Amino acid sequence: MPIVVDIDVMLARRKMAVGTLAERVGITPANLAVLKNGRAKAVRFTTLAALCEVLDCQPGDLLRWEPADSDGEPAAAPDEVGRP
């Protein structure tokens, strides 16, 4: 899927545990894992707003679009080019 979820990046920047984020946002750790691992098919704006409030960030800090290559897979991020 060409939408990439960068919740891990913001968690690291905020030095926050996944369980703490889930508790503060009001979702289960399992649902947060689905979202942060890119397996979610949708996200509610209320959940996105709560994530942004707790992490003190903008939606674009958590979600980004990457064009798919000819196989339908997301293209490698610029910093991943050339890595095995």
Side-chain angles (χ1 to χ4, degrees):
M1 172 172 274
I3 300 297
V4 178
V5 182
D6 287 327
I7 291 176
D8 284 339
V9 174
M10 291 307 297
L11 282 170
R13 287 183 184 165
R14 302 296 185 251
K15 296 181 170 106
M16 186 181 296
V18 174
T20 302
L21 178 61
E23 182 178 323
R24 290 184 185 174
V25 169
I27 60 176
T28 66
N31 283 339
L32 182 57
V34 167
L35 180 59
K36 83 179 190 69
N37 293 326
R39 295 188 317 259
K41 299 294 181 195
V43 60
R44 293 175 191 246
F45 282 152
T46 54
T47 302
L48 183 58
L51 286 165
C52 290
E53 182 177 353
V54 171
L55 292 170
D56 189 28
C57 67
Q58 294 295 312
D61 296 326
L62 301 176
L63 303 172
R64 62 187 159 89
W65 176 79
E66 287 187 359
D69 64 15
S70 60
D71 296 338
E73 293 293 320
D79 60 349
E80 294 175 350
V81 174
R83 290 187 185 173

